[in-house]
């Protein structure tokens, strides 16, 4: 950017016109005295002018205010990140000072009060950005000859030129200009600034929300490997995420931020250079408001190029792997920083445990870390209207989610990995972990639902209930999970209740592989996926592909079929281990599938499953006798002995005998 090309409309300051007679020395002295006085006054008001410009830029970013103090039209604003802004309303000096504003697209506008209104601020012929990553804050001053100057870096100043390339006088006749702002108002919990161009900035004032770093106002110098600790004041913070430049580390507790610079040891360098200089805390309030507190850092060890290229490996710390640019997989769906943006890290030690402000009606990749005895929750119904992933941070330790209310699937997708999902804490009136609702946008169907390495504990109701039959789910994938059905659950239990959906064509793919489903006490009838039988479908909708493989189903026989549906394009049900108490006689038979009309054997593979148990005379069948299609070999032979070496539903421990090791749940690689 060529700073000398700062351009405005025709000069709107009223230039000083001094007519001096060579014979009137007294008058000349008066004029010189007046000039000196006005220069002195202008120098005193420049801080107010530049303070207002800085305030405009910051407020236009959409910040949250913690406190407002008004003293004779001078507003001192304490932001929720601890920073302070000073905003001056009314005339701020002699003459007509530049009136700066920000247009609806985030670009600077300037009005020199010449009757022509606000025009874009141009640099090198281009409009100057006020907000966002590339936003800058022009600072005005005057030179020794009384002309306006402008700087973009606070150090180097160039004269402001009009459209004819002439410098613009800053000194006027002493008359006061128009107020910098049309109106400034502080009422209730809102601070409103109306600029001269009519643009209105409305900022929430929340006295109970603050995240401020103390003693870090200036650039902080670090020696290699040095650690510095800063006091942090937090109020009303529901969740936080800390980001650092590459090679730096930061640990946030309830009242301290510890920052460590890179040491002398070489650090592997990423493919894209990290130009960040801030250690930042993103704080989110219970109401969903946000504040960013920063420490500008410099120094530390210099990252070195790796001598030998290293293949990226996702280790135990999934959050760090994601931050380093690696992909995190949830049932085949990939999440990466390059595609999904920065992740949020939530820990029960440093934040409240309510998830809703972080994920409701937005896209987010959230990593959860819960020390023993702690959990995250959903304290009210939460809309999923973006691509949301909830992932336990450490691969060897599942984080705990204990929701009290349901997630409402409206648009986008929802993925969960490496979590314990404790459904025993549900509110008495809530029945399901997930149910769907009509989306607010044009997307009629929810994109996808994914569970990987999750343990569903204390289940009394289905994971999913499709309450809106006209809306489907494009993909459902469940892998490496455990489902513990409570003894208090309904006798006929449905895991994913697709109910009376009229949109079977929306369900393109269903995967239920390598999962454990068991009843903790007693025996329950089970349906893994169930449709109602009252909706006719045309052959054009037979596009669903389903895989149900290597699952262990313990004391949950399929009374009306584990899978109940209409027509499918392909179906694989292989290598599943089916078990029921050998005295259980609560159903005539246990059925793997229940077809409706129109289905043939094309694309159907029901081979290689093993079964044990049920009372004498009760059978395991591939297809229910009411199915429109029944395979030629419909019976699944009962094993003569239990396939388990150990089976303890109280602890969820199941060990299969060596000869049956290829069936049921397989070790996760």
């Amino acid at each position: 950017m060529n700073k000398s090309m700062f351009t405005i409309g025709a000069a709107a300051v009223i230039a000083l016109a001094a007519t001096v007679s060579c014979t009137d020395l007294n008058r000349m002295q008066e004029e010189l005295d007046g000039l000196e006085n006005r220069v002195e006054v202008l120098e005193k008001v420049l801080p107010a002018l530049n303070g207002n410009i800085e305030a405009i830029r910051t407020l236009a970013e959409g910040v949250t205010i913690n406190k407002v103090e008004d003293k004779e039209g001078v507003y001192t604003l304490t932001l929720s990140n601890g920073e302070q802004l000073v905003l001056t309303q009314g005339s701020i000096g002699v003459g007509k000072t530049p009136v700066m504003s920000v247009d609806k697209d985030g670009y600077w506008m300037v009005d020199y009060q010449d009757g022509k209104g606000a025009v874009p601020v141009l640099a090198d012929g281009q409009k100057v950005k006020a907000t966002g990553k590339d936003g800058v804050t022009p600072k005005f001053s005057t030179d020794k000859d009384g002309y306006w100057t402008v700087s973009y870096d606070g150090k180097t100043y160039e004269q402001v030129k009009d459209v004819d390339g002439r410098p613009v006088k800053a000194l006027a006749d002493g008359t006061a200009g128009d107020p910098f702002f049309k109106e400034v108002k502080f009422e209730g919990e809102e601070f409103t600034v109306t600029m001269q161009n009519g643009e209105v900035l409305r900022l929430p004032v929340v006295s109970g929300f603050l995240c401020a770093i103390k003693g870090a106002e200036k650039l902080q110098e670090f020696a290699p490997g040095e650690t510095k600790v800063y006091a942090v004041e937090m109020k009303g913070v529901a969740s936080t995420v800390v980001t650092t430049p590459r090679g730096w580390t930061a640990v946030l507790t309830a009242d301290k931020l510890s920052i460590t610079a890179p040491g002398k040891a070489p650090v592997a360098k990423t493919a894209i250079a990290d130009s960040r200089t801030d250690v930042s805390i993103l704080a989110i309030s219970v109401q969903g408001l946000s504040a960013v507190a920063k420490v500008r850092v410099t120094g530390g060890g210099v990252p070195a190029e790796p001598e030998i290229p290293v293949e990226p490996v996702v280790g135990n710390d999934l959050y760090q792997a994601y931050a380093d640019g690696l992909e995190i997989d949830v049932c085949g769906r990939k999440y990466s920083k390059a595609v999904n943006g920065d992740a949020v890290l939530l820990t029960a030690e440093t934040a409240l445990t309510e998830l809703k402000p972080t994920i409701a009606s937005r896209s987010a990749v959230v990593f959860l870390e819960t020390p023993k005895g702690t959990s995250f929750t959903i304290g009210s119904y939460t809309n999923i209207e973006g691509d949301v992933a909830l992932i336990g941070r450490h691969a060897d330790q599942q984080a705990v989610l204990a929701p009290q209310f349901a997630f409402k699937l409206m648009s986008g997708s929802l993925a969960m990995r490496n979590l314990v999902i404790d459904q025993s804490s549900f509110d008495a009136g809530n029945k399901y972990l997930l149910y769907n609702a009509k989306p607010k946008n044009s997307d009629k169907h929810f994109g996808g639902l994914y569970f990987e390495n999750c343990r569903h504990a204390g289940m009394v109701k289905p994971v999913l209930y499709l309450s809106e039959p006209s809306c489907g789910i494009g993909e459902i994938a469940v892998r490496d999970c455990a489902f513990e059905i409570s003894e208090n659950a309904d006798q006929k239990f449905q895991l994913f209740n697709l109910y009376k959906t009229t949109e079977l064509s929306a369900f393109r793919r269903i995967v239920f592989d390598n999962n454990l489903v068991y009843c903790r006490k007693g025996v329950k009838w089970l349906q893994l996926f169930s449709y109602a039988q009252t909706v006719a479908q045309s052959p054009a909708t037979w596009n669903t592909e389903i895989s149900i493989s290597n699952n262990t189903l313990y004391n949950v026989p399929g009374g009306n079929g584990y899978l109940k549906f209409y027509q499918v394009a392909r179906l694989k049900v292989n290598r599943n281990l089916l078990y029921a108490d050998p005295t259980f006689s609560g159903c005539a038979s246990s059925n793997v599938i229940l077809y409706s009309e129109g289905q043939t054997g094309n694309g159907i593979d029901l081979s290689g499953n093993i079964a044990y148990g049920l009372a004498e005379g009760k059978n395991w069948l591939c297809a229910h006798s009411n199915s429109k299609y029944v395979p030629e070999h419909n019976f699944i032979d009962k094993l003569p002995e239990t396939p388990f070496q150990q089976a303890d539903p109280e602890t969820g421990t199941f060990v299969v005998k060596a000869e049956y090791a290829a069936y049921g749940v397989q070790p996760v690689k």
Side-chain angles (χ1 to χ4, degrees):
M1 180 182 292
N2 184 349
K3 300 182 182 68
S4 63
M5 292 299 292
F6 179 95
T7 308
I8 61 172
V13 293
I14 301 176
L16 174 66
T19 304
V20 181
S21 169
C22 61
T23 60
D24 193 346
L25 298 179
N26 290 333
R27 185 176 178 184
M28 178 182 290
Q29 187 62 49
E30 290 175 0
E31 294 290 344
L32 290 174
D33 289 342
L35 174 62
E36 291 174 356
N37 290 338
R38 286 195 295 273
V39 169
E40 291 176 0
V41 172
L42 188 57
E43 289 175 348
K44 291 179 181 179
V45 301
L46 279 173
L49 169 63
N50 290 317
N52 279 354
I53 296 172
E54 176 65 31
I56 290 174
R57 182 191 172 192
T58 302
L59 297 179
E61 296 278 2
V63 297
T64 304
I65 300 172
N66 175 258
K67 184 171 63 174
V68 178
E69 297 175 275
D70 176 15
K71 186 176 181 180
E72 297 179 354
V74 178
Y75 293 86
T76 301
L77 311 178
T78 301
L79 306 184
S80 292
N81 64 0
E83 295 180 13
Q84 283 195 336
L85 300 175
V86 177
L87 184 147
T88 304
Q89 165 68 340
S91 176
I92 61 174
V94 297
K96 296 182 179 180
T97 55
V99 176
M100 302 292 291
S101 59
V102 178
D103 68 14
K104 61 183 178 61
D105 297 318
Y107 290 94
W108 283 113
M109 304 290 288
V110 62
D111 184 356
Y112 272 77
Q113 305 183 60
D114 59 353
K116 297 182 179 180
V119 295
V121 172
L122 303 178
D124 231 6
Q126 301 296 318
K127 293 194 293 185
V128 178
K129 194 73 174 175
T131 61
K133 181 179 178 181
D134 299 323
V136 297
T137 305
K139 290 187 177 181
F140 286 90
S141 186
T142 57
D143 60 18
K144 59 183 179 61
D145 298 318
Y147 290 97
W148 285 116
T149 59
V150 67
S151 172
Y152 290 101
D153 58 10
K155 299 177 182 178
T156 306
Y157 285 81
E158 299 288 342
Q159 280 187 333
V160 174
K161 303 292 180 62
D162 64 17
V163 292
D164 297 320
R166 295 173 298 193
V168 178
K169 276 284 188 180
L171 300 180
D173 58 4
T175 60
D178 294 334
F180 197 89
F181 305 106
K182 186 176 291 185
E183 184 182 43
V184 177
K185 189 191 308 181
F186 173 39
E187 291 182 350
E189 296 182 349
E190 186 175 70
F191 186 77
T192 305
V193 178
T194 303
M195 293 182 285
Q196 290 291 353
N197 67 348
E199 293 288 332
V200 180
L201 301 176
R202 302 181 186 276
L203 291 308
V205 180
V206 184
S207 59
F209 178 40
L210 180 68
C211 179
I213 303 172
K214 308 295 185 180
E217 292 77 14
K218 298 180 180 179
L219 180 65
Q220 301 294 299
E221 297 274 355
F222 282 74
E226 182 182 5
T227 297
K228 293 184 179 182
V229 179
Y230 300 87
V232 176
E233 182 181 359
M234 290 194 290
K235 296 190 299 183
V237 175
S239 59
T240 59
V241 58
V242 179
T243 58
T244 65
R246 176 71 176 172
W248 294 72
T249 60
V251 177
L252 177 64
T253 65
D255 59 357
K256 291 182 176 62
L257 175 66
S258 175
I259 301 175
T260 302
K264 296 181 180 179
V267 178
K269 197 172 184 180
T270 54
I272 301 175
D274 190 344
S275 60
R276 291 175 296 173
T277 60
D278 297 335
V279 174
S280 302
I281 304 173
L282 168 62
I284 301 174
S285 74
V286 175
Q287 300 94 333
L289 302 172
S290 63
V292 179
K294 298 180 179 181
V295 180
R296 293 181 60 226
V297 296
T298 186
V302 180
E305 295 285 352
E307 296 181 1
I308 301 175
V310 179
E311 187 70 21
V313 176
V314 176
N316 184 58
D317 191 334
L318 302 180
Y319 170 73
Q320 188 60 53
Y322 183 97
D324 290 342
L326 301 184
E327 289 185 335
I328 303 298
D329 185 295
V330 184
C331 292
R333 185 179 178 91
K334 310 291 186 182
Y335 297 87
S336 68
K337 184 177 180 180
V339 175
N340 302 97
D342 289 334
V344 177
L345 175 61
L346 301 180
T347 69
E349 291 181 324
T350 60
L352 299 178
T353 55
E354 169 60 57
L355 283 180
K356 183 173 182 177
T358 309
I359 64 174
S361 304
R362 69 186 71 186
S363 293
V365 177
V366 183
F367 289 84
L368 307 178
E369 185 177 9
T370 53
K372 187 175 181 180
T374 62
S375 63
F376 289 91
T377 190
I378 296 292
S380 58
Y381 292 109
T382 299
N383 293 349
I384 301 299
E385 297 181 82
D387 293 317
V388 175
L390 301 176
I391 303 171
R393 176 177 183 175
H394 299 292
D396 62 355
Q397 181 182 354
Q398 293 172 317
V400 181
L401 174 62
Q404 296 173 312
F405 288 83
F407 297 85
K408 294 172 62 176
L409 308 181
M410 302 186 73
S411 62
S413 63
L414 175 62
M416 298 188 187
R417 175 180 169 180
N418 203 34
L419 302 177
V420 173
I421 303 170
D422 184 1
Q423 293 183 220
S424 64
S425 60
F426 271 175
D427 178 83
N430 190 44
K431 297 180 178 180
Y432 316 101
L433 175 66
L434 312 166
Y435 71 92
N436 71 334
K438 288 185 178 180
K440 296 178 181 178
N441 56 26
S442 59
D443 294 331
K444 184 176 181 181
H445 305 297
F446 194 72
L449 183 61
Y450 310 90
F451 292 94
E452 180 175 344
N453 190 33
C454 292
R455 183 167 71 86
H456 297 252
M459 297 184 66
V460 294
K461 290 293 182 180
V463 173
L464 170 68
Y465 177 75
L466 290 189
S467 58
E468 179 52 58
S470 65
C471 300
I473 298 177
E475 186 175 40
I476 300 176
V478 185
R479 185 173 69 195
D480 305 333
C481 293
F483 298 84
E484 176 200 80
I485 301 174
S486 169
E487 60 267 33
N488 299 319
D490 293 341
Q491 181 59 37
K492 296 180 179 180
F493 191 84
Q494 295 166 319
L495 205 62
F496 292 84
N497 187 357
L498 308 184
Y499 196 50
K500 296 182 180 180
T501 178
T502 60
E503 297 289 338
L504 290 181
S505 59
F507 295 83
R508 301 184 306 276
R509 178 172 173 260
I510 296 176
V511 176
F512 193 83
D513 291 346
N514 213 53
N515 302 294
L516 168 66
V517 184
Y518 66 101
C519 189
R520 189 173 183 186
K521 290 182 180 180
V523 181
K524 305 288 185 183
W525 294 12
L526 176 68
Q527 285 186 313
L528 296 174
F529 299 89
S530 173
Y531 298 148
Q533 301 186 65
T534 58
V535 182
Q537 299 290 315
S538 67
T541 66
W542 302 358
N543 61 355
T544 306
E545 297 187 0
I546 302 176
S547 171
I548 301 177
S549 301
N550 279 111
N551 300 288
T552 297
L553 307 180
Y554 184 87
N555 270 341
V556 284
N560 283 327
Y562 290 119
L563 182 64
K564 185 178 179 182
F565 60 94
Y566 287 92
Q567 305 88 357
V568 296
R570 293 181 182 83
L571 171 65
K572 288 176 52 180
V573 183
N574 306 127
R575 300 182 305 280
N576 297 287
L577 192 163
L578 314 176
Y579 177 96
D581 187 306
T583 66
F584 182 71
S585 59
C587 56
S589 62
S590 178
N591 308 282
V592 173
I593 56 175
L594 174 61
Y595 294 126
S596 188
E597 55 196 273
Q599 186 69 50
T600 67
N602 294 333
I604 305 299
D605 181 4
L606 304 175
S607 63
N609 302 289
I610 62 174
Y612 172 81
L614 295 180
E616 186 72 19
K618 309 299 181 182
N619 300 304
W620 296 89
L621 303 178
C622 290
H624 193 284
S625 58
N626 290 337
S627 291
K628 299 301 181 181
Y629 165 76
V630 178
E632 182 178 352
H633 302 289
N634 198 35
F635 285 84
I636 302 174
D637 294 335
K638 292 183 183 180
L639 297 175
E641 61 177 5
T642 176
F644 292 106
Q645 177 179 320
Q646 179 186 1
D648 184 358
E650 287 288 333
T651 61
T653 303
F654 299 90
V655 180
V656 177
K657 293 177 180 178
E659 57 266 42
Y660 305 115
Y663 301 91
V665 174
Q666 302 296 299
V668 179
K669 297 179 181 179

